[in-house]
Amino acid sequence: MLSRIAESMFWIGRYVERAEDTARILDVQTTLLLEDSGDEETTCRNLLSVMGVDPPTDSEVGLDLVLGLLAYDPTAPDSIAAVLAAARESARRARETLSVNMWEALNTTFRTVTSGQFGRMGQGASFRWVRDRAALINGAADASMTRDEGWQFLVLGRMIERADMTSRLVATASLAGGVGSPWSNTLRACGGHEAFLRTYKGLETERGAAEFLLLDRLFPRSVVFALSRAEQCLDNLESGQRVGFQNDAHRLIGRTRAELEYRPLADVIADLPAEMERLQVTCARATEAIAHRYFAGSEGTHWMGGRT
């Protein structure tokens, strides 16, 4: 496959996943801000830190600034508007590889953003719209794309981004401390609160929530599930490899996944922020290794935001 096409497919997966996860986080956090009389500036600064965004030094950090930087401002590189525009640009560069249904889903989403309609929806409605559009784009890809190399790169990008974002959510909950609300909000942001309650019979503990989001092999937004799927994609791309791994990305992802699964849970959760920071570094290094191995001849440029 041409490196240009491979790179574009990889970043479509990452950008769409990033937009959806950002919308999930903002939906939960803005609702909490409206319901809670706590310190808005501290909450907003913590949220920006989790997302890897540095606020302007000359601006008051509040909800309006956060919504601009992370949702509506197309000139802010980490915003949902900018990320969806980047996904559409990547799709344009790989147009011959995409199905008609997937291209139309991406292009219609982009047009809604650039027309200003996205910004006029209101907070709750706009975040639900982003989740719905991401589900439509991913569903169109699942239903209409052959499982060739392009598909493998699309899913690979999606899973690396998902592992990175889930690690940031887990780190945030651990820093908030306590049992209950921080972890409940994190589970809701991942769309896994109901699945968690069914799995753990309604018993909500910090240990259980961390275990579920990190190690559950059946929940599609857990870190281990995402890393395992990323490994599977790399296996498929390197078919015929009988001995060892020549792919540095495969080594990085496989080693991190194995360390999470085989270490005692108590060791992992003893210092969750540090563990999740190591995971984020792994995702960044794996992305660099993938780019070096598969995209070396491409001239495309892509923004990692705070994930570099």
Side-chain angles (χ1 to χ4, degrees):
M1 171 172 283
L2 291 174
S3 58
R4 169 180 59 86
I5 301 298
E7 183 181 30
S8 294
M9 298 302 295
F10 177 82
W11 282 100
I12 290 170
R14 288 205 70 160
Y15 287 141
V16 172
E17 182 68 26
R18 188 177 302 180
E20 178 183 1
D21 291 344
T22 301
R24 288 177 178 275
I25 292 170
L26 287 175
D27 195 14
V28 171
Q29 294 296 326
T30 54
T31 300
L32 290 174
L33 277 173
L34 293 173
E35 294 176 352
D36 192 358
S37 59
D39 187 349
E40 178 178 323
E41 181 177 356
T42 300
T43 301
C44 290
R45 286 188 180 277
N46 289 340
L47 178 57
L48 290 175
S49 177
V50 168
M51 301 300 289
V53 178
D54 295 324
T57 56
D58 57 347
S59 300
E60 181 180 348
V61 179
L63 182 58
D64 290 341
L65 178 66
V66 167
L67 292 175
L69 292 175
L70 297 181
Y72 302 119
D73 185 356
T75 65
D78 292 281
S79 71
I80 292 172
V83 166
L84 290 175
R88 193 265 190 182
E89 177 59 23
S90 294
R92 187 188 63 79
R93 297 175 68 237
R95 177 65 187 87
E96 64 269 31
T97 305
L98 300 181
S99 66
V100 172
N101 290 340
M102 186 177 179
W103 167 253
E104 289 180 348
L106 278 162
N107 200 45
T108 303
T109 302
F110 170 73
R111 295 298 180 191
T112 302
V113 172
T114 55
S115 69
Q117 184 178 349
F118 170 57
R120 295 193 295 269
M121 291 180 185
Q123 292 174 24
S126 64
F127 301 146
R128 286 191 296 273
W129 177 82
V130 172
R131 295 200 306 271
D132 290 344
R133 296 306 298 184
L136 178 62
I137 293 166
N138 291 331
D142 290 350
S144 59
M145 286 186 65
T146 58
R147 271 42 177 178
D148 57 8
E149 288 184 344
W151 167 262
Q152 301 300 332
F153 280 112
L154 178 74
V155 177
L156 177 61
R158 182 192 302 167
M159 291 301 151
I160 289 177
E161 185 70 28
R162 185 172 294 178
D164 178 281
M165 189 67 79
T166 301
S167 73
R168 295 173 187 276
L169 285 165
V170 169
T172 306
S174 65
L175 289 171
V179 177
S181 183
W183 289 99
S184 295
N185 297 333
T186 300
L187 288 163
R188 289 189 175 93
C190 292
H193 191 248
E194 293 83 2
F196 170 77
L197 293 177
R198 287 194 298 271
T199 302
Y200 287 82
K201 313 301 183 186
L203 181 61
E204 188 170 327
T205 65
E206 178 180 351
R207 180 187 177 90
E211 182 179 55
F212 182 74
L213 291 173
L214 292 175
L215 303 177
D216 194 287
R217 297 187 183 96
L218 301 182
F219 179 57
R221 290 190 173 275
S222 78
V223 170
V224 162
F225 184 97
L227 294 178
S228 297
R229 287 297 304 274
E231 281 188 276
Q232 182 181 349
C233 291
L234 290 168
D235 276 335
N236 294 336
L237 290 168
E238 300 283 342
S239 58
Q241 185 76 41
R242 294 180 59 178
V243 179
F245 299 105
Q246 301 300 317
N247 191 326
D248 288 339
H250 207 156
R251 289 194 188 97
L252 287 164
I253 293 172
R255 184 162 53 241
T256 299
R257 191 264 312 155
E259 286 177 354
L260 283 173
E261 285 197 289
Y262 291 102
R263 288 171 58 195
L265 179 62
D267 292 349
V268 175
I269 66 175
D271 190 1
L272 270 178
E275 292 289 340
M276 296 303 97
E277 185 176 354
R278 280 193 286 272
L279 176 58
Q280 292 154 30
V281 171
T282 295
C283 291
R285 291 176 60 195
T287 299
E288 293 172 358
I290 290 167
H292 179 75
R293 185 169 182 83
Y294 298 108
F295 313 148
S298 175
E299 297 179 355
T301 57
H302 297 272
W303 175 251
M304 288 273 293
R307 295 152 183 80
T308 51

mmCIF file of all heavy atoms in Angstrom, residues 194-231:
data_model
loop_
_atom_site.group_PDB
_atom_site.id
_atom_site.type_symbol
_atom_site.label_atom_id
_atom_site.label_comp_id
_atom_site.label_asym_id
_atom_site.label_seq_id
_atom_site.Cartn_x
_atom_site.Cartn_y
_atom_site.Cartn_z
ATOM 1 N N GLU A 194 -22.640 1.478 32.847
ATOM 2 C CA GLU A 194 -23.613 0.390 32.964
ATOM 3 C C GLU A 194 -22.928 -0.970 32.860
ATOM 4 O O GLU A 194 -23.243 -1.904 33.604
ATOM 5 C CB GLU A 194 -24.691 0.522 31.883
ATOM 6 C CG GLU A 194 -25.594 1.732 32.037
ATOM 7 C CD GLU A 194 -24.977 3.000 31.466
ATOM 8 O OE1 GLU A 194 -23.849 2.924 30.913
ATOM 9 O OE2 GLU A 194 -25.608 4.059 31.578
ATOM 10 N N ALA A 195 -21.969 -1.085 31.923
ATOM 11 C CA ALA A 195 -21.257 -2.355 31.784
ATOM 12 C C ALA A 195 -20.461 -2.677 33.045
ATOM 13 O O ALA A 195 -20.382 -3.846 33.462
ATOM 14 C CB ALA A 195 -20.316 -2.284 30.572
ATOM 15 N N PHE A 196 -19.893 -1.658 33.664
ATOM 16 C CA PHE A 196 -19.135 -1.868 34.899
ATOM 17 C C PHE A 196 -20.051 -2.357 36.017
ATOM 18 O O PHE A 196 -19.709 -3.307 36.741
ATOM 19 C CB PHE A 196 -18.463 -0.564 35.313
ATOM 20 C CG PHE A 196 -17.850 -0.596 36.687
ATOM 21 C CD1 PHE A 196 -16.642 -1.239 36.912
ATOM 22 C CD2 PHE A 196 -18.488 0.011 37.755
ATOM 23 C CE1 PHE A 196 -16.084 -1.282 38.182
ATOM 24 C CE2 PHE A 196 -17.940 -0.016 39.023
ATOM 25 C CZ PHE A 196 -16.728 -0.669 39.237
ATOM 26 N N LEU A 197 -21.207 -1.722 36.178
ATOM 27 C CA LEU A 197 -22.122 -2.129 37.238
ATOM 28 C C LEU A 197 -22.617 -3.556 37.035
ATOM 29 O O LEU A 197 -22.760 -4.314 38.004
ATOM 30 C CB LEU A 197 -23.306 -1.162 37.298
ATOM 31 C CG LEU A 197 -22.984 0.267 37.749
ATOM 32 C CD1 LEU A 197 -24.238 1.129 37.701
ATOM 33 C CD2 LEU A 197 -22.375 0.284 39.142
ATOM 34 N N ARG A 198 -22.855 -3.941 35.784
ATOM 35 C CA ARG A 198 -23.273 -5.320 35.522
ATOM 36 C C ARG A 198 -22.144 -6.298 35.831
ATOM 37 O O ARG A 198 -22.371 -7.376 36.384
ATOM 38 C CB ARG A 198 -23.713 -5.472 34.062
ATOM 39 C CG ARG A 198 -25.058 -4.835 33.742
ATOM 40 C CD ARG A 198 -25.578 -5.317 32.406
ATOM 41 N NE ARG A 198 -24.691 -4.950 31.304
ATOM 42 C CZ ARG A 198 -24.776 -3.818 30.625
ATOM 43 N NH1 ARG A 198 -25.717 -2.929 30.933
ATOM 44 N NH2 ARG A 198 -23.945 -3.553 29.626
ATOM 45 N N THR A 199 -20.923 -5.928 35.477
ATOM 46 C CA THR A 199 -19.780 -6.825 35.679
ATOM 47 C C THR A 199 -19.457 -6.998 37.154
ATOM 48 O O THR A 199 -19.152 -8.103 37.609
ATOM 49 C CB THR A 199 -18.541 -6.285 34.936
ATOM 50 O OG1 THR A 199 -18.845 -6.150 33.547
ATOM 51 C CG2 THR A 199 -17.346 -7.203 35.108
ATOM 52 N N TYR A 200 -19.542 -5.898 37.918
ATOM 53 C CA TYR A 200 -19.156 -5.934 39.334
ATOM 54 C C TYR A 200 -20.372 -5.956 40.270
ATOM 55 O O TYR A 200 -20.243 -5.633 41.451
ATOM 56 C CB TYR A 200 -18.256 -4.745 39.650
ATOM 57 C CG TYR A 200 -16.873 -4.901 39.058
ATOM 58 C CD1 TYR A 200 -16.630 -4.594 37.730
ATOM 59 C CD2 TYR A 200 -15.807 -5.385 39.821
ATOM 60 C CE1 TYR A 200 -15.369 -4.763 37.168
ATOM 61 C CE2 TYR A 200 -14.551 -5.557 39.276
ATOM 62 C CZ TYR A 200 -14.334 -5.238 37.943
ATOM 63 O OH TYR A 200 -13.095 -5.408 37.386
ATOM 64 N N LYS A 201 -21.525 -6.328 39.720
ATOM 65 C CA LYS A 201 -22.747 -6.539 40.517
ATOM 66 C C LYS A 201 -23.132 -5.302 41.323
ATOM 67 O O LYS A 201 -23.610 -5.408 42.461
ATOM 68 C CB LYS A 201 -22.577 -7.744 41.457
ATOM 69 C CG LYS A 201 -21.992 -8.982 40.819
ATOM 70 C CD LYS A 201 -22.826 -9.490 39.655
ATOM 71 C CE LYS A 201 -22.240 -10.776 39.089
ATOM 72 N NZ LYS A 201 -22.958 -11.217 37.861
ATOM 73 N N GLY A 202 -22.919 -4.128 40.763
ATOM 74 C CA GLY A 202 -23.322 -2.892 41.407
ATOM 75 C C GLY A 202 -22.386 -2.375 42.467
ATOM 76 O O GLY A 202 -22.643 -1.314 43.047
ATOM 77 N N LEU A 203 -21.302 -3.102 42.751
ATOM 78 C CA LEU A 203 -20.354 -2.675 43.778
ATOM 79 C C LEU A 203 -19.290 -1.783 43.140
ATOM 80 O O LEU A 203 -18.464 -2.247 42.359
ATOM 81 C CB LEU A 203 -19.692 -3.892 44.433
ATOM 82 C CG LEU A 203 -18.691 -3.603 45.560
ATOM 83 C CD1 LEU A 203 -19.384 -2.881 46.713
ATOM 84 C CD2 LEU A 203 -18.036 -4.889 46.043
ATOM 85 N N GLU A 204 -19.304 -0.501 43.469
ATOM 86 C CA GLU A 204 -18.407 0.468 42.843
ATOM 87 C C GLU A 204 -17.265 0.807 43.790
ATOM 88 O O GLU A 204 -17.467 1.403 44.849
ATOM 89 C CB GLU A 204 -19.175 1.726 42.456
ATOM 90 C CG GLU A 204 -18.357 2.704 41.626
ATOM 91 C CD GLU A 204 -19.225 3.811 41.063
ATOM 92 O OE1 GLU A 204 -20.398 3.546 40.754
ATOM 93 O OE2 GLU A 204 -18.720 4.942 40.924
ATOM 94 N N THR A 205 -16.054 0.412 43.430
ATOM 95 C CA THR A 205 -14.866 0.728 44.214
ATOM 96 C C THR A 205 -13.801 1.291 43.293
ATOM 97 O O THR A 205 -13.831 1.086 42.068
ATOM 98 C CB THR A 205 -14.311 -0.522 44.917
ATOM 99 O OG1 THR A 205 -13.865 -1.459 43.927
ATOM 100 C CG2 THR A 205 -15.368 -1.183 45.798
ATOM 101 N N GLU A 206 -12.842 1.995 43.888
ATOM 102 C CA GLU A 206 -11.743 2.541 43.097
ATOM 103 C C GLU A 206 -10.961 1.423 42.423
ATOM 104 O O GLU A 206 -10.630 1.506 41.228
ATOM 105 C CB GLU A 206 -10.809 3.362 43.991
ATOM 106 C CG GLU A 206 -9.605 3.941 43.258
ATOM 107 C CD GLU A 206 -8.709 4.738 44.185
ATOM 108 O OE1 GLU A 206 -9.110 4.978 45.337
ATOM 109 O OE2 GLU A 206 -7.619 5.128 43.738
ATOM 110 N N ARG A 207 -10.674 0.375 43.157
ATOM 111 C CA ARG A 207 -9.923 -0.746 42.604
ATOM 112 C C ARG A 207 -10.680 -1.399 41.445
ATOM 113 O O ARG A 207 -10.113 -1.701 40.394
ATOM 114 C CB ARG A 207 -9.642 -1.777 43.701
ATOM 115 C CG ARG A 207 -8.868 -2.997 43.222
ATOM 116 C CD ARG A 207 -8.780 -4.060 44.317
ATOM 117 N NE ARG A 207 -8.106 -5.265 43.856
ATOM 118 C CZ ARG A 207 -6.812 -5.464 43.942
ATOM 119 N NH1 ARG A 207 -6.044 -4.552 44.490
ATOM 120 N NH2 ARG A 207 -6.284 -6.597 43.495
ATOM 121 N N GLY A 208 -11.976 -1.611 41.642
ATOM 122 C CA GLY A 208 -12.781 -2.246 40.600
ATOM 123 C C GLY A 208 -12.860 -1.398 39.338
ATOM 124 O O GLY A 208 -12.755 -1.921 38.217
ATOM 125 N N ALA A 209 -13.051 -0.089 39.513
ATOM 126 C CA ALA A 209 -13.139 0.797 38.347
ATOM 127 C C ALA A 209 -11.819 0.840 37.589
ATOM 128 O O ALA A 209 -11.787 0.783 36.351
ATOM 129 C CB ALA A 209 -13.544 2.192 38.795
ATOM 130 N N ALA A 210 -10.711 0.931 38.325
ATOM 131 C CA ALA A 210 -9.404 0.945 37.678
ATOM 132 C C ALA A 210 -9.149 -0.361 36.949
ATOM 133 O O ALA A 210 -8.643 -0.372 35.814
ATOM 134 C CB ALA A 210 -8.317 1.214 38.712
ATOM 135 N N GLU A 211 -9.481 -1.477 37.583
ATOM 136 C CA GLU A 211 -9.291 -2.784 36.957
ATOM 137 C C GLU A 211 -10.116 -2.899 35.681
ATOM 138 O O GLU A 211 -9.638 -3.390 34.646
ATOM 139 C CB GLU A 211 -9.694 -3.878 37.936
ATOM 140 C CG GLU A 211 -9.497 -5.290 37.423
ATOM 141 C CD GLU A 211 -9.885 -6.315 38.463
ATOM 142 O OE1 GLU A 211 -11.039 -6.258 38.953
ATOM 143 O OE2 GLU A 211 -9.052 -7.176 38.801
ATOM 144 N N PHE A 212 -11.343 -2.440 35.719
ATOM 145 C CA PHE A 212 -12.239 -2.520 34.568
ATOM 146 C C PHE A 212 -11.716 -1.690 33.400
ATOM 147 O O PHE A 212 -11.656 -2.162 32.255
ATOM 148 C CB PHE A 212 -13.631 -2.041 34.981
ATOM 149 C CG PHE A 212 -14.663 -2.131 33.895
ATOM 150 C CD1 PHE A 212 -15.190 -3.369 33.516
ATOM 151 C CD2 PHE A 212 -15.126 -0.994 33.257
ATOM 152 C CE1 PHE A 212 -16.152 -3.455 32.523
ATOM 153 C CE2 PHE A 212 -16.086 -1.067 32.266
ATOM 154 C CZ PHE A 212 -16.599 -2.299 31.899
ATOM 155 N N LEU A 213 -11.318 -0.449 33.673
ATOM 156 C CA LEU A 213 -10.875 0.444 32.596
ATOM 157 C C LEU A 213 -9.492 0.081 32.059
ATOM 158 O O LEU A 213 -9.177 0.392 30.906
ATOM 159 C CB LEU A 213 -10.870 1.887 33.097
ATOM 160 C CG LEU A 213 -12.245 2.493 33.370
ATOM 161 C CD1 LEU A 213 -12.107 3.860 34.017
ATOM 162 C CD2 LEU A 213 -13.066 2.591 32.097
ATOM 163 N N LEU A 214 -8.684 -0.563 32.876
ATOM 164 C CA LEU A 214 -7.341 -0.926 32.433
ATOM 165 C C LEU A 214 -7.271 -2.337 31.848
ATOM 166 O O LEU A 214 -6.641 -2.550 30.806
ATOM 167 C CB LEU A 214 -6.349 -0.824 33.593
ATOM 168 C CG LEU A 214 -6.043 0.573 34.125
ATOM 169 C CD1 LEU A 214 -5.146 0.474 35.343
ATOM 170 C CD2 LEU A 214 -5.404 1.435 33.054
ATOM 171 N N LEU A 215 -7.911 -3.314 32.493
ATOM 172 C CA LEU A 215 -7.592 -4.710 32.240
ATOM 173 C C LEU A 215 -8.723 -5.544 31.660
ATOM 174 O O LEU A 215 -8.472 -6.689 31.257
ATOM 175 C CB LEU A 215 -7.119 -5.369 33.541
ATOM 176 C CG LEU A 215 -5.919 -4.714 34.236
ATOM 177 C CD1 LEU A 215 -5.609 -5.416 35.544
ATOM 178 C CD2 LEU A 215 -4.705 -4.730 33.326
ATOM 179 N N ASP A 216 -9.939 -5.041 31.610
ATOM 180 C CA ASP A 216 -11.044 -5.872 31.138
ATOM 181 C C ASP A 216 -10.860 -6.226 29.659
ATOM 182 O O ASP A 216 -10.788 -5.352 28.808
ATOM 183 C CB ASP A 216 -12.377 -5.155 31.351
ATOM 184 C CG ASP A 216 -13.557 -6.103 31.202
ATOM 185 O OD1 ASP A 216 -13.858 -6.484 30.051
ATOM 186 O OD2 ASP A 216 -14.172 -6.463 32.212
ATOM 187 N N ARG A 217 -10.817 -7.510 29.340
ATOM 188 C CA ARG A 217 -10.564 -7.958 27.970
ATOM 189 C C ARG A 217 -11.805 -7.897 27.091
ATOM 190 O O ARG A 217 -11.704 -8.058 25.868
ATOM 191 C CB ARG A 217 -10.013 -9.386 27.973
ATOM 192 C CG ARG A 217 -8.671 -9.537 28.660
ATOM 193 C CD ARG A 217 -8.119 -10.952 28.458
ATOM 194 N NE ARG A 217 -6.856 -11.134 29.164
ATOM 195 C CZ ARG A 217 -6.755 -11.670 30.368
ATOM 196 N NH1 ARG A 217 -7.849 -12.061 31.006
ATOM 197 N NH2 ARG A 217 -5.577 -11.810 30.946
ATOM 198 N N LEU A 218 -12.979 -7.677 27.692
ATOM 199 C CA LEU A 218 -14.218 -7.679 26.923
ATOM 200 C C LEU A 218 -14.799 -6.285 26.717
ATOM 201 O O LEU A 218 -15.655 -6.109 25.843
ATOM 202 C CB LEU A 218 -15.266 -8.567 27.618
ATOM 203 C CG LEU A 218 -14.875 -10.034 27.817
ATOM 204 C CD1 LEU A 218 -16.015 -10.794 28.469
ATOM 205 C CD2 LEU A 218 -14.476 -10.675 26.497
ATOM 206 N N PHE A 219 -14.363 -5.314 27.507
ATOM 207 C CA PHE A 219 -14.883 -3.955 27.352
ATOM 208 C C PHE A 219 -14.082 -3.226 26.270
ATOM 209 O O PHE A 219 -12.858 -3.078 26.400
ATOM 210 C CB PHE A 219 -14.803 -3.196 28.678
ATOM 211 C CG PHE A 219 -15.293 -1.776 28.589
ATOM 212 C CD1 PHE A 219 -16.579 -1.503 28.139
ATOM 213 C CD2 PHE A 219 -14.479 -0.706 28.948
ATOM 214 C CE1 PHE A 219 -17.042 -0.194 28.045
ATOM 215 C CE2 PHE A 219 -14.922 0.593 28.858
ATOM 216 C CZ PHE A 219 -16.210 0.854 28.406
ATOM 217 N N PRO A 220 -14.711 -2.750 25.199
ATOM 218 C CA PRO A 220 -13.962 -2.234 24.035
ATOM 219 C C PRO A 220 -13.198 -0.952 24.272
ATOM 220 O O PRO A 220 -12.391 -0.557 23.424
ATOM 221 C CB PRO A 220 -15.044 -2.049 22.974
ATOM 222 C CG PRO A 220 -16.322 -1.916 23.736
ATOM 223 C CD PRO A 220 -16.158 -2.770 24.950
ATOM 224 N N ARG A 221 -13.408 -0.289 25.404
ATOM 225 C CA ARG A 221 -12.669 0.938 25.675
ATOM 226 C C ARG A 221 -11.629 0.773 26.784
ATOM 227 O O ARG A 221 -11.047 1.758 27.236
ATOM 228 C CB ARG A 221 -13.621 2.092 26.006
ATOM 229 C CG ARG A 221 -14.411 2.531 24.805
ATOM 230 C CD ARG A 221 -15.190 3.824 25.025
ATOM 231 N NE ARG A 221 -15.770 4.239 23.766
ATOM 232 C CZ ARG A 221 -15.141 4.953 22.839
ATOM 233 N NH1 ARG A 221 -13.908 5.357 23.060
ATOM 234 N NH2 ARG A 221 -15.730 5.277 21.703
ATOM 235 N N SER A 222 -11.400 -0.452 27.209
ATOM 236 C CA SER A 222 -10.341 -0.657 28.193
ATOM 237 C C SER A 222 -8.985 -0.551 27.510
ATOM 238 O O SER A 222 -8.848 -0.750 26.298
ATOM 239 C CB SER A 222 -10.488 -2.013 28.876
ATOM 240 O OG SER A 222 -10.011 -3.052 28.034
ATOM 241 N N VAL A 223 -7.963 -0.262 28.304
ATOM 242 C CA VAL A 223 -6.621 -0.110 27.755
ATOM 243 C C VAL A 223 -6.123 -1.424 27.167
ATOM 244 O O VAL A 223 -5.580 -1.462 26.056
ATOM 245 C CB VAL A 223 -5.655 0.399 28.848
ATOM 246 C CG1 VAL A 223 -4.208 0.326 28.370
ATOM 247 C CG2 VAL A 223 -6.005 1.832 29.238
ATOM 248 N N VAL A 224 -6.310 -2.529 27.899
ATOM 249 C CA VAL A 224 -5.825 -3.820 27.416
ATOM 250 C C VAL A 224 -6.545 -4.229 26.129
ATOM 251 O O VAL A 224 -5.917 -4.760 25.198
ATOM 252 C CB VAL A 224 -5.990 -4.889 28.515
ATOM 253 C CG1 VAL A 224 -5.934 -6.301 27.934
ATOM 254 C CG2 VAL A 224 -4.904 -4.716 29.568
ATOM 255 N N PHE A 225 -7.838 -4.013 26.048
ATOM 256 C CA PHE A 225 -8.569 -4.347 24.827
ATOM 257 C C PHE A 225 -8.011 -3.551 23.648
ATOM 258 O O PHE A 225 -7.756 -4.113 22.571
ATOM 259 C CB PHE A 225 -10.058 -4.036 25.003
ATOM 260 C CG PHE A 225 -10.913 -4.430 23.817
ATOM 261 C CD1 PHE A 225 -11.589 -5.633 23.817
ATOM 262 C CD2 PHE A 225 -11.027 -3.595 22.709
ATOM 263 C CE1 PHE A 225 -12.378 -6.008 22.724
ATOM 264 C CE2 PHE A 225 -11.806 -3.960 21.623
ATOM 265 C CZ PHE A 225 -12.478 -5.167 21.633
ATOM 266 N N ALA A 226 -7.812 -2.235 23.840
ATOM 267 C CA ALA A 226 -7.307 -1.403 22.753
ATOM 268 C C ALA A 226 -5.899 -1.823 22.326
ATOM 269 O O ALA A 226 -5.599 -1.910 21.128
ATOM 270 C CB ALA A 226 -7.324 0.070 23.173
ATOM 271 N N LEU A 227 -5.032 -2.090 23.297
ATOM 272 C CA LEU A 227 -3.675 -2.510 22.957
ATOM 273 C C LEU A 227 -3.672 -3.865 22.264
ATOM 274 O O LEU A 227 -2.883 -4.090 21.331
ATOM 275 C CB LEU A 227 -2.810 -2.559 24.219
ATOM 276 C CG LEU A 227 -2.529 -1.210 24.904
ATOM 277 C CD1 LEU A 227 -1.710 -1.431 26.170
ATOM 278 C CD2 LEU A 227 -1.808 -0.242 23.967
ATOM 279 N N SER A 228 -4.532 -4.771 22.704
ATOM 280 C CA SER A 228 -4.606 -6.091 22.069
ATOM 281 C C SER A 228 -5.057 -5.979 20.625
ATOM 282 O O SER A 228 -4.509 -6.645 19.729
ATOM 283 C CB SER A 228 -5.558 -7.002 22.853
ATOM 284 O OG SER A 228 -5.089 -7.239 24.161
ATOM 285 N N ARG A 229 -6.042 -5.120 20.364
ATOM 286 C CA ARG A 229 -6.497 -4.923 18.990
ATOM 287 C C ARG A 229 -5.414 -4.256 18.146
ATOM 288 O O ARG A 229 -5.249 -4.581 16.962
ATOM 289 C CB ARG A 229 -7.772 -4.077 18.967
ATOM 290 C CG ARG A 229 -9.016 -4.789 19.433
ATOM 291 C CD ARG A 229 -9.382 -5.967 18.531
ATOM 292 N NE ARG A 229 -9.527 -5.563 17.140
ATOM 293 C CZ ARG A 229 -10.661 -5.077 16.613
ATOM 294 N NH1 ARG A 229 -11.738 -4.948 17.391
ATOM 295 N NH2 ARG A 229 -10.733 -4.720 15.349
ATOM 296 N N ALA A 230 -4.668 -3.333 18.734
ATOM 297 C CA ALA A 230 -3.568 -2.713 17.991
ATOM 298 C C ALA A 230 -2.526 -3.759 17.634
ATOM 299 O O ALA A 230 -1.988 -3.771 16.503
ATOM 300 C CB ALA A 230 -2.948 -1.593 18.815
ATOM 301 N N GLU A 231 -2.217 -4.664 18.582
ATOM 302 C CA GLU A 231 -1.275 -5.754 18.293
ATOM 303 C C GLU A 231 -1.788 -6.641 17.160
ATOM 304 O O GLU A 231 -1.021 -7.063 16.280
ATOM 305 C CB GLU A 231 -1.077 -6.605 19.540
ATOM 306 C CG GLU A 231 -0.151 -6.036 20.583
ATOM 307 C CD GLU A 231 0.110 -7.048 21.677
ATOM 308 O OE1 GLU A 231 -0.708 -7.132 22.609
ATOM 309 O OE2 GLU A 231 1.125 -7.759 21.587
#
